Amino acid sequence: DAGVIQSPRHEVTEMGQEVTLRCKPISGHDYLFWYRQTMMRGLELLIYFNNNVPIDDSGMPEDRFSAKMPNASFSTLKIQPSEPRDSAVYFCASWNGQTMNTEAFFGQGTRLTVV
Amino acid sequence: AQTVTQSQPEMSVQEAETVTLSCTYDTSESDYYLFWYKQPPSRQMILVIRQEAYKQQNATENRFSVNFQKAAKSFSLKISDSQLGDAAMYFCAYRSAVVWGSQGNLIFGKGTKLSVKP
């Protein structure tokens, strides 16, 4: 397996524009997580899915953020409209919840810059 | 709610020496998993080592070992024979062993930036 694949790796957009981040988890993993990393706040969980169903979205900052997982192999995180304070690295991670003692695998992240 | 604290924002070690990174956590659960992840400048999050709370034996992976003190809720990482490639951010993380509700996720500390001097 190629691991967790995120796209794009870098995104620069203007304030007010819509941004869509994409993630392909590892095949067979039933959990998918979206994290945001900033210098000030570190790694924060935004939302996670189990079997394509959102389980906990309490970390989503506000209504401008939305996430979907239409099938087991694809998820999106959308920001609309984007603001400069959304600038961060966004990570997607997947995990096989059937094997409790294993780790979550991370994608390489998307560095988002909103100008 | 569980929390993870890394009290050392930055650490430095001489090449070939040993360094210990600290991590403490707070939880009321008795069963859980602890992890150390490494994040080099490439941004990739790489698992270094994991520990199951029900195991008393400290985990070891080559030059990396942990000192797990369950009663003290402490989980430090020791890197022996430090190499230049060990320079990175290191994150301590907690995950509940009870995967219901909002307990399937990893809770991270703020990280420790490790520099290795040649």
Side-chain angles (χ1 to χ4, degrees):
Chain A
D1 203 313
V4 177
I5 299 173
Q6 288 187 247
S7 64
R9 284 221 60 195
H10 305 274
E11 176 81 35
V12 180
T13 190
E14 291 185 349
M15 182 173 63
Q17 296 298 304
E18 177 180 294
V19 175
T20 299
L21 311 182
R22 296 172 175 80
C23 175
K24 176 180 167 54
I26 292 173
S27 177
H29 283 192
D30 53 343
Y31 281 81
L32 183 139
F33 307 88
W34 282 100
Y35 286 89
R36 178 171 68 176
Q37 184 179 28
T38 60
M39 289 292 292
M40 290 296 294
R41 300 173 69 92
L43 277 155
E44 304 174 277
L45 178 71
L46 298 177
I47 184 170
Y48 80 92
F49 297 83
N50 176 218
N51 292 322
N52 314 336
V53 176
I55 301 299
D56 183 2
D57 64 356
S58 60
M60 296 285 262
E62 47 199 275
D63 292 345
R64 298 184 297 106
F65 286 68
S66 62
K68 294 182 180 179
M69 192 165 186
N71 57 61
S73 60
F74 184 65
S75 177
T76 60
L77 178 68
K78 185 176 294 186
I79 308 172
Q80 165 65 18
S82 57
E83 297 182 2
R85 60 193 167 119
D86 302 330
S87 297
V89 178
Y90 291 81
F91 284 100
C92 174
S94 71
W95 175 51
N96 180 358
Q98 306 305 309
T99 52
M100 287 294 297
N101 64 343
T102 57
E103 71 274 24
F105 291 83
F106 285 75
Q108 290 205 290
T110 295
R111 180 177 292 282
L112 173 65
T113 303
V114 183
V115 298
Chain B
Q2 295 82 16
T3 58
V4 176
T5 302
Q6 293 178 250
S7 59
Q8 306 152 316
E10 295 187 23
M11 291 282 285
S12 181
V13 64
Q14 205 70 36
E15 197 176 4
E17 297 294 305
T18 296
V19 65
T20 298
L21 308 184
S22 301
C23 172
T24 59
Y25 57 93
D26 189 28
T27 183
S28 58
E29 299 175 332
S30 60
D31 201 12
Y32 46 87
Y33 299 90
L34 297 166
F35 305 85
W36 278 98
Y37 279 87
K38 171 185 177 181
Q39 186 181 41
S42 66
R43 279 202 323 248
Q44 182 69 53
M45 294 286 283
I46 304 163
L47 179 73
V48 175
I49 200 165
R50 75 170 73 89
Q51 175 79 42
E52 293 94 329
Y54 63 85
K55 288 187 177 179
Q56 292 187 339
Q57 186 172 8
N58 289 323
T60 299
E61 289 286 343
N62 301 314
R63 298 184 294 107
F64 299 88
S65 61
V66 298
N67 183 4
F68 173 50
Q69 302 287 329
K70 190 172 184 180
K73 296 180 183 175
S74 170
F75 182 60
S76 60
L77 174 69
K78 185 171 84 171
I79 306 174
S80 303
D81 185 25
S82 297
Q83 300 175 359
L84 295 178
D86 295 334
M89 282 289 288
Y90 286 82
F91 292 94
C92 179
Y94 171 104
R95 189 181 71 223
S96 172
V98 179
V99 187
W100 295 105
S102 61
Q103 293 166 305
N105 60 296
L106 285 167
I107 300 167
F108 286 92
K110 290 287 179 69
T112 297
K113 183 177 181 180
L114 178 66
S115 302
V116 181
K117 298 178 180 178

